[in-house]
Amino acid sequence: MSTEEGASSSEDMKRKFKEALEKKNAHHRQGEAHLDGDSAVHAANAPQTRREFRRKSG
């Protein structure tokens, strides 16, 4: 195998991988981003207090 054949197969392999990556990325971009959506949760239910740990007695 000459260096030209090795280079062309390398270029062909790079092209195939790039096409596959573009296809994969295009698949992920099809859905909606939901960036304009608002979450229903805005704050915790209870006020945040420092937790107290005690040893078990008995």
Side-chain angles (χ1 to χ4, degrees):
M1 186 156 89
S2 69
T3 56
E4 274 186 31
E5 290 174 6
S8 69
S9 66
S10 175
E11 293 293 323
D12 187 41
M13 187 64 76
K14 286 181 184 179
R15 182 183 54 79
K16 287 181 181 179
F17 273 107
K18 189 172 181 177
E19 287 174 2
L21 182 61
E22 288 173 358
K23 183 179 177 183
K24 176 184 170 189
N25 288 338
H27 178 69
H28 285 289
R29 283 184 253 136
Q30 284 178 349
E32 294 181 21
H34 297 288
L35 298 175
D36 58 343
D38 191 25
S39 174
V41 178
H42 293 287
N45 292 340
Q48 294 295 323
T49 58
R50 186 171 174 95
R51 291 184 69 180
E52 186 177 329
F53 296 96
R54 295 185 181 193
R55 289 191 177 149
K56 187 175 182 180
S57 61

